[in-house]
Amino acid sequence: QSAGVPCIAWNGGHVEASYDRTTGTLPQEAYEQASIASATQASEAAAQIGFPVMIKASEGGGGKGIRRVEKLEDVPNAYRQVCGEVPGSPIFIMKLSQGSRHLEVQLLADEYGNAVALNGRDCSVQRRHQKIIEEGPPIAALPEVWTQMEQAAVALAKAVGYANAGTVEYLYSEQDAKFYFLELNPRLQVEH
Protein backbone atom coordinates (compact mmCIF):
# COMPACT_ATOMS: atom_id res chain seq x y z
CA GLN A 1 0.00 0.00 0.00
CA SER A 2 2.97 2.30 0.55
CA ALA A 3 3.77 1.85 -3.15
CA GLY A 4 0.26 3.01 -4.12
CA VAL A 5 -1.01 -0.43 -5.10
CA PRO A 6 -4.72 -0.82 -4.19
CA CYS A 7 -5.33 -3.04 -1.17
CA ILE A 8 -8.58 -4.45 0.18
CA ALA A 9 -9.61 -3.49 3.73
CA TRP A 10 -7.34 -5.26 6.20
CA ASN A 11 -6.09 -4.91 9.77
CA GLY A 12 -2.87 -3.17 8.64
CA GLY A 13 -4.52 -0.66 6.33
CA HIS A 14 -3.26 2.18 8.53
CA VAL A 15 0.41 1.14 8.28
CA GLU A 16 2.75 3.13 6.05
CA ALA A 17 6.32 1.88 5.81
CA SER A 18 9.37 2.58 3.70
CA TYR A 19 11.14 -0.41 2.21
CA ASP A 20 14.89 -0.34 2.88
CA ARG A 21 16.53 -1.42 -0.39
CA THR A 22 19.92 -1.76 1.30
CA THR A 23 18.79 -4.34 3.84
CA GLY A 24 15.80 -5.65 1.87
CA THR A 25 13.51 -5.19 4.86
CA LEU A 26 10.63 -3.19 6.24
CA PRO A 27 10.87 -1.68 9.72
CA GLN A 28 10.08 -4.17 12.49
CA GLU A 29 7.46 -1.74 13.83
CA ALA A 30 5.53 -2.09 10.56
CA TYR A 31 5.36 -5.88 10.95
CA GLU A 32 4.24 -5.52 14.54
CA GLN A 33 1.55 -2.94 13.67
CA ALA A 34 0.26 -5.08 10.79
CA SER A 35 0.28 -8.46 12.54
CA ILE A 36 -2.41 -9.98 14.70
CA ALA A 37 -0.89 -11.33 17.93
CA SER A 38 -3.87 -12.86 19.76
CA ALA A 39 -7.38 -14.23 19.34
CA THR A 40 -8.71 -11.14 21.13
CA GLN A 41 -6.90 -8.83 18.74
CA ALA A 42 -8.18 -10.94 15.82
CA SER A 43 -11.78 -10.51 17.03
CA GLU A 44 -11.36 -6.75 17.38
CA ALA A 45 -9.81 -6.41 13.92
CA ALA A 46 -12.44 -8.60 12.24
CA ALA A 47 -15.26 -6.60 13.84
CA GLN A 48 -13.69 -3.36 12.63
CA ILE A 49 -13.17 -4.63 9.06
CA GLY A 50 -16.64 -6.17 8.82
CA PHE A 51 -17.69 -9.71 7.98
CA PRO A 52 -17.02 -11.90 6.12
CA VAL A 53 -13.24 -11.88 6.54
CA MET A 54 -10.27 -14.07 5.76
CA ILE A 55 -7.72 -14.84 8.47
CA LYS A 56 -4.41 -15.54 6.77
CA ALA A 57 -0.89 -16.56 7.71
CA SER A 58 1.61 -14.42 5.84
CA GLU A 59 3.83 -17.46 5.28
CA GLY A 60 0.95 -19.76 4.35
CA GLY A 61 0.22 -21.04 0.89
CA GLY A 62 -1.18 -23.97 -1.02
CA GLY A 63 -4.42 -23.72 0.94
CA LYS A 64 -2.72 -23.80 4.37
CA GLY A 65 -3.01 -21.03 6.92
CA ILE A 66 -6.22 -19.46 5.66
CA ARG A 67 -9.76 -19.45 7.04
CA ARG A 68 -12.98 -17.77 5.94
CA VAL A 69 -14.93 -16.39 8.90
CA GLU A 70 -18.55 -15.27 8.70
CA LYS A 71 -19.27 -14.21 12.30
CA LEU A 72 -17.50 -12.85 15.34
CA GLU A 73 -17.89 -15.90 17.56
CA ASP A 74 -15.95 -18.03 15.04
CA VAL A 75 -12.89 -15.76 14.96
CA PRO A 76 -10.93 -17.14 17.97
CA ASN A 77 -11.09 -20.75 16.78
CA ALA A 78 -10.22 -19.85 13.18
CA TYR A 79 -7.33 -17.71 14.41
CA ARG A 80 -5.93 -20.61 16.45
CA GLN A 81 -6.30 -22.98 13.47
CA VAL A 82 -4.36 -20.62 11.19
CA CYS A 83 -1.63 -20.20 13.82
CA GLY A 84 -1.41 -23.98 14.19
CA GLU A 85 -1.06 -24.62 10.46
CA VAL A 86 1.79 -22.14 9.96
CA PRO A 87 3.55 -21.79 13.33
CA GLY A 88 5.45 -18.53 13.84
CA SER A 89 3.99 -16.82 10.77
CA PRO A 90 2.66 -13.28 11.04
CA ILE A 91 -1.14 -13.36 10.86
CA PHE A 92 -3.39 -10.76 9.25
CA ILE A 93 -7.08 -10.34 8.55
CA MET A 94 -8.61 -9.00 5.36
CA LYS A 95 -12.10 -8.36 4.05
CA LEU A 96 -13.40 -11.21 1.92
CA SER A 97 -13.86 -10.11 -1.68
CA GLN A 98 -16.79 -12.29 -2.66
CA GLY A 99 -17.14 -13.46 -6.23
CA SER A 100 -13.75 -12.07 -7.22
CA ARG A 101 -11.36 -13.46 -9.78
CA HIS A 102 -7.72 -14.29 -9.04
CA LEU A 103 -5.70 -12.48 -11.72
CA GLU A 104 -1.93 -12.40 -11.99
CA VAL A 105 0.49 -10.10 -13.80
CA GLN A 106 3.80 -11.59 -14.85
CA LEU A 107 6.72 -9.22 -14.88
CA LEU A 108 10.44 -8.93 -15.45
CA ALA A 109 12.64 -6.46 -13.61
CA ASP A 110 16.37 -5.84 -13.65
CA GLU A 111 18.99 -4.49 -11.26
CA TYR A 112 18.94 -1.08 -13.00
CA GLY A 113 15.41 -0.21 -11.91
CA ASN A 114 13.65 -1.26 -15.10
CA ALA A 115 10.49 -3.34 -14.94
CA VAL A 116 7.97 -4.46 -17.52
CA ALA A 117 4.67 -6.34 -17.35
CA LEU A 118 4.71 -9.23 -19.80
CA ASN A 119 1.25 -10.71 -19.68
CA GLY A 120 -1.04 -12.33 -17.19
CA ARG A 121 -3.19 -15.22 -16.16
CA ASP A 122 -6.59 -15.88 -14.69
CA CYS A 123 -6.12 -18.36 -11.85
CA SER A 124 -9.68 -18.29 -10.56
CA VAL A 125 -10.34 -22.02 -10.94
CA GLN A 126 -9.21 -23.25 -7.53
CA ARG A 127 -9.86 -25.98 -5.02
CA ARG A 128 -9.18 -25.26 -1.35
CA HIS A 129 -7.38 -22.03 -2.29
CA GLN A 130 -5.00 -23.94 -4.56
CA LYS A 131 -4.85 -23.09 -8.26
CA ILE A 132 -6.01 -25.88 -10.54
CA ILE A 133 -6.24 -24.20 -13.95
CA GLU A 134 -4.49 -21.06 -15.17
CA GLU A 135 -5.87 -19.36 -18.25
CA GLY A 136 -4.14 -16.77 -20.33
CA PRO A 137 -4.49 -14.13 -21.37
CA PRO A 138 -6.89 -12.98 -18.68
CA ILE A 139 -10.06 -11.47 -20.13
CA ALA A 140 -12.16 -10.91 -16.99
CA ALA A 141 -10.81 -7.41 -16.31
CA LEU A 142 -11.81 -4.49 -18.50
CA PRO A 143 -8.87 -3.52 -20.75
CA GLU A 144 -8.37 -0.18 -18.98
CA VAL A 145 -8.39 -1.90 -15.58
CA TRP A 146 -5.93 -4.55 -16.79
CA THR A 147 -3.61 -1.73 -17.85
CA GLN A 148 -3.88 -0.25 -14.33
CA MET A 149 -3.08 -3.67 -12.86
CA GLU A 150 0.04 -3.94 -15.01
CA GLN A 151 1.10 -0.40 -14.09
CA ALA A 152 0.61 -1.13 -10.38
CA ALA A 153 2.68 -4.32 -10.68
CA VAL A 154 5.51 -2.41 -12.36
CA ALA A 155 5.32 0.38 -9.75
CA LEU A 156 5.52 -2.18 -6.95
CA ALA A 157 8.55 -3.90 -8.50
CA LYS A 158 10.31 -0.56 -8.88
CA ALA A 159 9.41 0.58 -5.35
CA VAL A 160 11.19 -2.40 -3.80
CA GLY A 161 14.08 -2.61 -6.27
CA TYR A 162 12.93 -6.00 -7.48
CA ALA A 163 15.21 -7.78 -9.98
CA ASN A 164 13.96 -11.08 -11.38
CA ALA A 165 10.97 -12.68 -13.06
CA GLY A 166 7.94 -12.56 -10.81
CA THR A 167 4.21 -12.51 -10.43
CA VAL A 168 1.98 -9.92 -8.81
CA GLU A 169 -1.31 -11.46 -7.72
CA TYR A 170 -4.58 -9.57 -7.41
CA LEU A 171 -8.19 -10.12 -6.52
CA TYR A 172 -10.39 -8.57 -9.20
CA SER A 173 -13.99 -7.69 -8.43
CA GLU A 174 -15.96 -7.87 -11.66
CA GLN A 175 -18.95 -6.35 -9.89
CA ASP A 176 -17.27 -2.97 -9.36
CA ALA A 177 -14.24 -3.32 -11.72
CA LYS A 178 -11.72 -2.88 -8.88
CA PHE A 179 -8.58 -4.83 -8.10
CA TYR A 180 -6.75 -5.48 -4.84
CA PHE A 181 -3.18 -6.58 -4.21
CA LEU A 182 -2.70 -10.10 -2.87
CA GLU A 183 1.02 -10.80 -3.09
CA LEU A 184 4.22 -10.55 -5.08
CA ASN A 185 5.83 -13.91 -5.71
CA PRO A 186 9.53 -13.03 -5.88
CA ARG A 187 10.61 -16.09 -7.79
CA LEU A 188 10.28 -17.87 -11.05
CA GLN A 189 7.21 -20.02 -10.57
CA VAL A 190 6.69 -23.48 -12.01
CA GLU A 191 3.82 -22.15 -14.09
CA HIS A 192 6.09 -19.76 -15.98
Side-chain angles (χ1 to χ4, degrees):
Q1 64 201 17
S2 298
V5 179
C7 296
I8 201 161
W10 72 295
N11 65 280
H14 64 286
V15 177
E16 289 290 327
S18 296
Y19 180 77
D20 186 334
R21 288 183 172 196
T22 306
T23 63
T25 62
L26 289 168
Q28 186 62 33
E29 312 86 65
Y31 280 107
E32 292 168 5
Q33 291 175 13
S35 295
I36 300 294
S38 70
T40 300
Q41 192 179 13
S43 294
E44 292 168 358
Q48 183 177 359
I49 293 165
F51 291 92
V53 298
M54 297 296 283
I55 301 177
K56 298 179 70 173
S58 177
E59 297 168 3
K64 294 197 184 282
I66 186 169
R67 289 291 183 283
R68 177 181 176 150
V69 183
E70 300 281 343
K71 52 191 177 192
L72 187 60
E73 56 266 26
D74 294 337
V75 171
N77 189 45
Y79 173 78
R80 285 188 287 275
Q81 288 174 335
V82 169
C83 289
E85 287 182 9
V86 190
S89 173
I91 307 295
F92 64 96
I93 299 176
M94 61 187 278
K95 181 75 175 167
L96 175 67
S97 180
Q98 299 190 67
S100 291
R101 315 249 340 150
H102 182 134
L103 303 183
E104 300 183 349
V105 174
Q106 298 170 333
L107 57 85
L108 282 177
D110 65 23
E111 61 192 38
Y112 305 106
N114 301 304
V116 61
L118 301 174
N119 205 330
R121 302 181 295 236
D122 186 332
C123 305
S124 301
V125 179
Q126 299 187 9
R127 182 172 183 241
R128 296 187 201 143
H129 310 291
Q130 182 70 33
K131 299 171 206 167
I132 294 175
I133 297 173
E134 299 186 9
E135 303 174 90
I139 57 172
L142 300 171
E144 59 271 18
V145 176
W146 180 254
T147 299
Q148 293 171 5
M149 294 169 79
E150 290 179 320
Q151 291 169 344
V154 168
L156 178 60
K158 289 181 176 184
V160 299
Y162 185 72
N164 201 344
T167 304
V168 177
E169 299 185 16
Y170 298 106
L171 289 176
Y172 174 68
S173 172
E174 289 181 285
Q175 182 178 352
D176 56 8
K178 291 185 178 180
F179 64 96
Y180 307 101
F181 175 76
L182 268 181
E183 67 181 6
L184 166 62
N185 284 311
R187 65 188 181 279
L188 187 62
Q189 293 179 273
V190 174
E191 305 89 70
H192 291 170

